[in-house]
Amino acid sequence: MSESAMAVVKPEMKSYIWLQTADGSIQQVEEEVAMFCPMICREILQTGMGSSKNYAISLPQRVNPAILGLILDYCRFHQVPGRSNKERKTFDEKFIRMDTKKLCELTSAADSLQLKPLVDLTSRALARIIEGKTPEEIRETFHLPDDLTEEEKLEPLRNITDDPRIRLLNRLYARKRKELREREKLKNVEIEERVDDRSVDDLLSFINGGDGDSKAVKTNKNKKKNRRRKDQQKDSSSTTNENGNHDKIEELDALPSCCQNNEFNQILGASPSRTVKSQDSAAAMYSSKIEFDDADIYDDLDPAMKEELDREVEDFARRLNSDWPERVQEILSLGQERNLVTVLTGNGSSPRFTKQVLIGGSSLPVGVQR
Amino acid sequence: MLRMASTFPEDVLEHVFSFIQCHQDRNSISMVCKSWYEIERWCRKRVFVGNCYAVSPQIVIRRFPDVRSVELKGKPHFADFSLVPDGWGGYVYPWILAMASAYPLLEEIRLKRMVVTDESLELISKSFKNFKVLVLMTCEGFSTDGLAAIAANCRHLKVLDLRESDVEDLNGHWLSHFPDTYTSLVSLNIACLVSEVSVSALERLVDRCPNLRTLRLNRPVPLDRHANLLRRAPQLVEFGAGCYTADLRSEVFSSLTGAFTSCTELKSLSGFWDVVPAYLPSVYPTCSQLTSLNLSYATIQCDDLTKLVSQCHNLQKLWVLDFIEDSGLEAVAVTCKDLRELRVFPSEPYGLEPNVSLTEQGLVSVSEGCPKLQSVLYFCRQMTNAALVTIARNRPNMTRFRLCILEPWTPDYVTGQALDVGFGAIVEYCKDLQRFSLSGLLTDRCFEYIGTYGKKLEMLSVAFAGESDLGLHHVLSGCDSLRKLEIRDCPFGDKALLANAAKLETMRSLWMSSCSVSFGACKLLAQKFPQLNVEVIDERDPPNTRPESCPVERLYIYRSVAGRRLDMPGFVWTMDGDAPLRLT
């Protein structure tokens, strides 16, 4: 109770407000202090609640008794009109010194009570805690899950080209992949199956990125006719490896994604969905339309085109398959002999193979570049 | 442990993020976890793309739906030294086109070393109703017609800054396209424009824009019009003079002096082409308040320069020609105790004999006298290891150090030795060194020092240095924070590059010209690392008409998630590597 208030108000005239926190406990607070919170103020004025213990104002769930105490301390100080800016600032600076967990609770509680000055104060303090930290450090500080890599695995490939035929091909390959997966579930898994699976996945990413050969795409400024962009894509990894036997490889897919996140962020901070690099077609680059929902297009495809696309898919699959078996043998032999993760981090030999085949050479070996 | 995510509402988290604007921190935030990634991307307002080819506009737009400010960089830094042929790329148009529909509320565009066409400028002026800031640093490809479109259509424009750009001057009347109702100008920098602008139009513009803080004139603005402009804008904080030449007339002089006196907020001066020494004292009233002085175009001789800087007690940034000489720099060391940044440019870079008495001593003096000196760019003709070691010991707080000894392979002129120890000392003592440029006679030893000590080094520029691949290897394997590496005329070949190829994915870019990297190595790199764009710039015939072991002329490697670019000219070849899956 501040001195000025004491001087002005006779003791028997002082009123209290009753507040109830979510745990059921009830507190009484000087009215002028409670009124400093917009939410409480509104409750009092609109509903008349709070004047007695039985009619205590229910506070939002985010306000527990300890935090309420802090908030009331804040209100008690700041509701006094005579204070100078400097005094207020000094109080704030001292007030804000608490552990991160409490600071979070306080921010959240202040927000639920709509106490904007306190929200700003605590938010700024949290911002200062976050600044300069690495993602790992931030996670530790706030006990946040490291769930981004899984997210990337599940995030669908996004094709950003505008060309409808490319999108059709995507749908087609997605369907093909699904079919193959279904087939696998019915049979024992064999090497051949995996090969197929991989090749279609690769096709998917292959086609997603490269479109130089597809008749669908208009090539424009590419003067280098003897260089095919998509050749670069041949080794891009699959994103969704649902085959149970590919656990280790899945991990590997995850690792480079996480790392790619890092790399990419250093470019700018971009989408995690780039285990496969999506390449713009010429059309896409100069087009300003970006459509993401292509769900219906495949179904509207006329049968003749469907057939043609089917043929193209078979063709691609055949060509890929011709080179695939040896490559896959390499991966598998590596996989069976040692921990692929170790290989990836550069401790094993022939990282070349693993990179090329599994992650499309996009990996940033995790322990290496620190 | 209480999970923060479960109790912390998203909008509150967004509010916390609003206090974090630095790009690095925003990137870190986005990497913390899934929910933070999502929240962050929706509230990111400012995006910085250090290499416009590293990502596509579509990817940026898809990820950040509500951007208000974009900064893009195009050509590699060595383009400033004419090492990148015309037509290489860096076109901004695709970005503007994409953003025109995706970001109607875009307010700020900052571009560096990009090709900007009039079409782009027109599109900007018509697409973004709230457009406020246009900064074009070292850009090219546009004319005053494009500027006219900006002036005419951008009602809320605050900043038009053409810093060092190459503008086709079709006519000076573009300024008049600012409507009479337009009053929001805060910053105008037209110093790079070659031909006259209408000074009357400029005066009217300055008159009606009360918030004008920065005005940098171009060379043709005559001296006798300066005072009028200054009087119309006494609130100016930054002023760039035009040509400081006129017949000596006392009324012009006193008018100028009076005008400068009334500019009590003035902190930065620049411009001053062709200075008549007698007029220089007209700026004296501003000296004690100046924090930034850019005289890099001013042909002022040593004595006059010394008199000027001796009054600038609050100077933090000084850019000057080597006319300042060692004696002038000693005066700086005595007077400018707050100096943070010094750049000394050569007045006659191609002369064989020194035309001024500027030696290593000038830099040593400043390093001794200016405790806050952090950033140095120094052109000179001679250097010693001893001087560099002294500088390093004096200023361990140095963060940017670029020394350019004009003649390649110049040794320590006292001992005749290579300058390895000297440059090594800089990188060893200055633990926070971020940017470093080398010159003079240097062996692989120097690079060993850099690799060992340069842990915070982000950008390194090397020319005519080193002896073997070992030099490059030291840098690539040792410099943990390296982002940009540019090399010219060094005996670096395939080995170091291929051995450290994975490093390239952690960097923004690598430039190598007139080195010994073979075509075969380029192809191999591209093959192993599809995430890298390996571009060979060769103005001879296609590189595949020569043996694979043949070195390429120029090599630019950068990481990208956008794949190979499509706008390459005929002399740029992107490597695909040998593709076993050729489909023809």
Side-chain angles (χ1 to χ4, degrees):
Chain A
M1 194 53 162
S2 69
E3 283 183 43
S4 50
M6 288 285 272
V8 170
V9 177
K10 289 187 213 163
E12 60 269 22
M13 294 284 288
K14 193 148 42 103
S15 24
Y16 288 83
I17 298 293
W18 299 84
L19 303 171
Q20 181 172 33
T21 44
D23 64 338
S25 58
I26 298 177
Q27 277 190 50
Q28 68 173 38
V29 181
E30 307 91 305
E31 185 181 5
E32 61 270 15
V33 174
M35 292 284 273
F36 199 68
C37 283
M39 183 248 151
I40 298 175
C41 189
R42 217 191 344 268
E43 278 292 301
I44 296 172
L45 295 175
Q46 286 176 4
T47 67
M49 295 278 278
S51 49
S52 73
K53 195 168 181 180
N54 292 330
Y55 293 98
I57 294 172
S58 292
L59 295 180
Q61 207 201 358
R62 287 187 253 152
V63 186
N64 65 50
I67 293 295
L68 178 61
L70 279 173
I71 292 180
L72 294 175
D73 287 341
Y74 180 87
C75 294
R76 192 166 290 119
F77 182 87
H78 280 287
Q79 59 87 23
V80 177
R83 304 203 190 277
S84 70
N85 282 339
K86 188 159 181 229
E87 276 179 332
R88 294 186 191 272
K89 197 161 170 232
T90 312
F91 173 85
D92 284 349
E93 276 162 22
K94 254 177 86 178
F95 180 76
I96 214 68
R97 286 186 220 152
M98 60 185 78
D99 65 73
T100 308
K101 179 165 174 249
K102 220 193 266 176
L103 193 55
C104 290
E105 285 174 16
L106 185 58
T107 312
S108 185
D111 174 69
S112 69
L113 294 175
Q114 293 149 11
L115 193 48
K116 190 165 188 328
L118 185 55
V119 175
D120 279 348
L121 178 65
T122 48
S123 297
R124 281 180 197 271
L126 283 171
R128 282 196 299 272
I129 291 174
I130 293 170
E131 276 168 357
K133 287 195 163 68
T134 66
E136 179 59 46
E137 286 164 351
I138 297 173
R139 250 178 257 134
E140 264 179 51
T141 308
F142 294 100
H143 310 297
L144 291 162
D146 184 2
D147 62 1
L148 258 179
T149 54
E150 282 158 19
E151 166 70 0
E152 280 150 35
K153 272 200 293 186
L154 295 169
E155 189 170 337
L157 282 173
R158 292 295 194 93
N159 190 336
I160 55 181
T161 172
D162 204 31
D163 193 299
R165 289 225 213 171
I166 300 296
R167 286 204 300 260
L168 289 173
L169 281 170
N170 287 343
R171 304 299 301 174
L172 185 66
Y173 302 141
R175 192 178 73 141
K176 193 110 189 123
R177 207 176 55 193
K178 196 174 151 206
E179 278 169 34
L180 283 166
R181 262 184 260 128
E182 258 141 43
R183 246 203 294 151
E184 266 168 320
K185 283 179 192 160
L186 302 173
K187 294 185 186 180
N188 287 333
V189 176
E190 286 170 14
I191 288 177
E192 269 63 43
E193 293 297 316
R194 265 184 245 147
V195 172
D196 280 347
D197 190 86
R198 269 217 154 291
S199 63
V200 175
D201 279 329
D202 240 64
L203 256 181
L204 185 67
S205 49
F206 188 65
I207 296 302
N208 263 342
D211 46 16
D213 241 359
S214 165
K215 298 157 198 129
V217 181
K218 323 180 267 279
T219 51
N220 63 351
K221 293 190 180 179
N222 191 350
K223 292 173 189 165
K224 308 194 191 10
K225 297 199 170 80
N226 56 342
R227 298 213 172 280
R228 301 286 181 180
R229 242 173 359 127
K230 61 185 168 15
D231 288 343
Q232 265 183 319
Q233 281 297 37
K234 63 173 165 56
D235 291 323
S236 297
S237 71
S238 58
T239 45
T240 56
N241 252 324
E242 287 167 38
N243 187 331
N245 290 334
H246 278 212
D247 276 347
K248 284 254 161 64
I249 297 176
E250 270 182 314
E251 248 174 66
L252 280 168
D253 281 347
L255 272 172
S257 309
C258 180
C259 302
Q260 270 188 311
N261 232 342
N262 237 331
E263 284 167 61
F264 187 72
N265 258 351
Q266 280 142 33
I267 294 170
L268 124 89
S271 160
S273 66
R274 65 211 161 312
T275 36
V276 172
K277 178 173 55 170
S278 40
Q279 295 188 2
D280 298 358
S281 68
M285 209 151 151
Y286 291 89
S287 134
S288 53
K289 281 191 300 166
I290 304 149
E291 291 164 43
F292 301 123
D293 186 14
D294 50 14
D296 298 323
I297 294 179
Y298 186 64
D299 297 323
D300 292 337
L301 193 58
D302 87 270
M305 180 155 334
K306 258 193 209 170
E307 232 181 68
E308 189 185 277
L309 285 170
D310 271 333
R311 270 203 308 278
E312 277 178 28
V313 174
E314 296 304 326
D315 206 90
F316 282 124
R318 227 179 325 131
R319 289 186 213 240
L320 278 176
N321 279 332
S322 63
D323 289 304
W324 213 226
E326 349 170 315
R327 243 181 247 291
V328 175
Q329 284 310 314
E330 279 162 4
I331 314 163
L332 294 174
S333 61
L334 285 171
Q336 281 152 20
E337 277 153 26
R338 53 184 156 190
N339 186 345
L340 286 167
V341 176
T342 323
V343 173
L344 181 65
T345 56
N347 296 331
S349 62
S350 27
R352 190 166 68 89
F353 291 125
T354 40
K355 283 184 184 179
Q356 230 177 18
V357 178
L358 292 169
I359 347 112
S362 57
S363 73
L364 167 60
V366 172
V368 174
Q369 305 297 348
R370 282 286 174 266
Chain B
M1 270 296 198
L2 181 72
R3 281 267 156 109
M4 183 206 192
S6 57
T7 57
F8 217 76
E10 270 187 25
D11 56 337
V12 183
L13 197 51
E14 198 177 307
H15 191 59
V16 173
F17 291 169
S18 70
F19 297 110
I20 301 171
Q21 289 303 323
C22 147
H23 297 295
Q24 216 33 326
D25 287 326
R26 294 300 295 220
N27 288 348
S28 299
I29 289 172
S30 68
M31 297 266 290
V32 168
C33 63
K34 181 173 145 190
S35 60
W36 280 39
Y37 173 88
E38 276 303 309
I39 298 168
E40 195 280 326
R41 70 179 261 262
W42 281 98
C43 64
R44 172 105 66 144
K45 298 280 178 275
R46 294 170 52 232
V47 164
F48 166 74
V49 181
N51 173 3
C52 65
Y53 290 120
V55 70
S56 74
Q58 285 74 19
I59 294 176
V60 175
I61 288 166
R62 191 179 79 213
R63 173 153 174 204
F64 302 114
D66 192 21
V67 166
R68 305 293 163 97
S69 162
V70 170
E71 184 174 347
L72 302 172
K73 293 190 179 179
K75 298 188 205 174
H77 173 239
F78 270 2
D80 290 355
F81 307 103
S82 308
L83 287 176
V84 178
D86 281 341
W88 173 84
Y91 305 105
V92 80
Y93 188 74
W95 287 85
I96 308 295
L97 191 56
M99 294 191 298
S101 49
Y103 296 147
L105 298 177
L106 190 70
E107 295 179 4
E108 305 183 357
I109 294 176
R110 291 177 171 83
L111 307 175
K112 188 165 185 180
R113 288 193 204 96
M114 293 197 78
V115 176
V116 182
T117 55
D118 285 344
E119 210 185 342
S120 304
L121 291 176
E122 270 158 51
L123 192 55
I124 291 173
S125 75
K126 301 221 171 97
S127 311
F128 308 114
K129 297 296 163 224
N130 228 15
F131 196 66
K132 298 202 168 91
V133 172
L134 183 63
V135 178
L136 303 175
M137 289 182 275
T138 324
C139 293
E140 57 174 2
F142 61 103
S143 76
T144 44
D145 284 353
L147 296 178
I150 297 284
N153 299 316
C154 298
R155 299 287 152 93
H156 306 288
L157 192 71
K158 287 191 176 170
V159 174
L160 180 59
D161 186 338
L162 305 177
R163 217 177 297 187
E164 314 273 333
S165 290
D166 190 0
V167 185
E168 196 188 343
D169 260 314
L170 297 176
N171 71 71
H173 300 297
W174 66 273
L175 254 185
S176 317
H177 286 254
F178 281 111
D180 291 335
T181 48
Y182 170 74
T183 58
S184 44
L185 195 62
V186 173
S187 171
L188 182 65
N189 179 351
I190 53 170
C192 61
L193 292 182
V194 172
S195 58
E196 284 180 33
V197 292
S198 156
V199 186
S200 324
L202 193 53
E203 281 170 357
R204 286 195 299 276
L205 185 61
V206 171
D207 253 338
R208 64 181 188 275
C209 295
N211 297 321
L212 192 66
R213 293 282 173 275
T214 301
L215 179 63
R216 300 209 195 268
L217 305 172
N218 63 341
R219 192 172 183 170
V221 177
L223 187 54
D224 57 7
R225 305 296 290 271
H226 281 45
N228 270 339
L229 283 165
L230 284 168
R231 274 188 219 288
R232 284 167 155 83
Q235 76 281 7
L236 276 181
V237 176
E238 301 182 324
F239 180 67
C243 193
Y244 229 67
T245 302
D247 295 333
L248 283 171
R249 279 167 21 225
S250 61
E251 70 272 16
V252 173
F253 180 86
S254 53
S255 186
L256 273 170
T257 313
F260 275 117
T261 311
S262 61
C263 291
T264 55
E265 307 296 316
L266 203 58
K267 293 210 161 43
S268 164
L269 279 181
S270 64
F272 293 96
W273 286 268
D274 311 317
V275 179
V276 165
Y279 273 115
L280 206 47
S282 61
V283 310
Y284 286 178
T286 66
C287 285
S288 57
Q289 48 195 76
L290 287 181
T291 55
S292 168
L293 187 55
N294 179 354
L295 298 173
S296 50
Y297 294 106
T299 49
I300 309 173
Q301 299 303 317
C302 181
D303 290 339
D304 295 314
L305 271 176
T306 307
K307 258 187 256 169
L308 185 61
V309 299
S310 301
Q311 301 176 58
C312 299
H313 304 93
N314 288 313
L315 208 58
Q316 294 177 15
K317 178 170 129 174
L318 176 63
W319 292 20
V320 74
L321 285 169
D322 55 9
F323 293 128
I324 196 165
E325 301 190 354
D326 289 343
S327 56
L329 288 175
E330 270 164 41
V332 170
V334 166
T335 315
C336 309
K337 291 304 182 189
D338 212 15
L339 195 70
R340 322 276 163 105
E341 179 177 330
L342 174 70
R343 295 195 191 190
V344 179
F345 296 98
S347 49
E348 272 172 41
Y350 305 112
L352 294 170
E353 293 299 318
N355 58 324
V356 290
S357 173
L358 180 92
T359 69
E360 76 279 9
Q361 192 47 50
L363 188 54
V364 173
S365 310
V366 177
S367 76
E368 270 162 9
C370 303
K372 296 196 192 158
L373 188 69
Q374 297 179 328
S375 172
V376 166
L377 170 60
Y378 198 76
F379 285 83
C380 60
R381 288 175 195 277
Q382 64 182 52
M383 189 50 60
T384 63
N385 281 311
L388 284 170
V389 173
T390 308
I391 292 165
R393 287 209 180 114
N394 286 341
R395 296 273 64 81
N397 52 328
M398 194 82 75
T399 55
R400 289 168 161 69
F401 189 80
R402 295 191 277 167
L403 181 67
C404 304
I405 305 168
L406 289 166
E407 191 64 31
W409 307 297
T410 305
D412 176 324
Y413 75 93
V414 169
T415 65
Q417 295 191 330
L419 289 167
D420 299 334
V421 171
F423 280 100
I426 298 277
V427 78
E428 184 182 347
Y429 284 94
C430 307
K431 304 252 180 269
D432 291 324
L433 196 67
Q434 281 173 21
R435 188 164 178 189
F436 201 23
S437 289
L438 315 173
S439 56
L441 183 67
L442 296 165
T443 71
D444 288 344
R445 203 64 203 283
C446 176
F447 297 104
E448 195 183 340
Y449 290 131
I450 294 173
T452 309
Y453 297 110
K455 296 307 176 191
K456 301 256 181 88
L457 198 60
E458 295 180 11
M459 183 170 176
L460 180 65
S461 308
V462 185
F464 301 100
E467 303 160 295
S468 74
D469 271 283
L470 199 55
L472 182 56
H473 174 70
H474 284 308
V475 171
L476 288 176
S477 56
C479 297
D480 297 336
S481 313
L482 197 62
R483 291 188 298 116
K484 290 182 278 181
L485 179 57
E486 44 184 26
I487 301 172
R488 62 163 295 184
D489 293 276
C490 295
F492 299 144
D494 299 343
K495 291 196 222 74
L497 200 55
L498 292 174
N500 293 283
K503 173 78 175 170
L504 297 175
E505 283 179 333
T506 71
M507 293 165 53
R508 185 189 296 175
S509 66
L510 167 67
W511 169 279
M512 290 179 76
S513 55
S514 306
C515 297
S516 315
V517 179
S518 73
F519 181 57
C522 295
K523 289 207 294 190
L524 199 60
L525 261 176
Q527 186 189 351
K528 302 294 168 239
F529 297 93
Q531 199 82 331
L532 293 177
N533 278 4
V534 180
E535 291 186 11
V536 169
I537 300 166
D538 210 318
E539 287 176 292
R540 306 169 287 183
D541 342 296
N544 57 5
T545 59
R546 288 184 294 277
E548 289 216 343
S549 55
C550 213
V552 299
E553 240 176 43
R554 281 166 265 208
L555 175 63
Y556 185 49
I557 302 175
Y558 55 92
R559 63 182 176 189
S560 174
V561 294
R564 218 180 71 170
R565 61 184 176 111
L566 295 169
D567 58 358
M568 292 175 295
F571 51 81
V572 178
W573 313 86
T574 290
M575 302 294 101
D576 289 325
D578 277 325
L581 298 172
R582 219 168 267 288
L583 289 174
T584 39

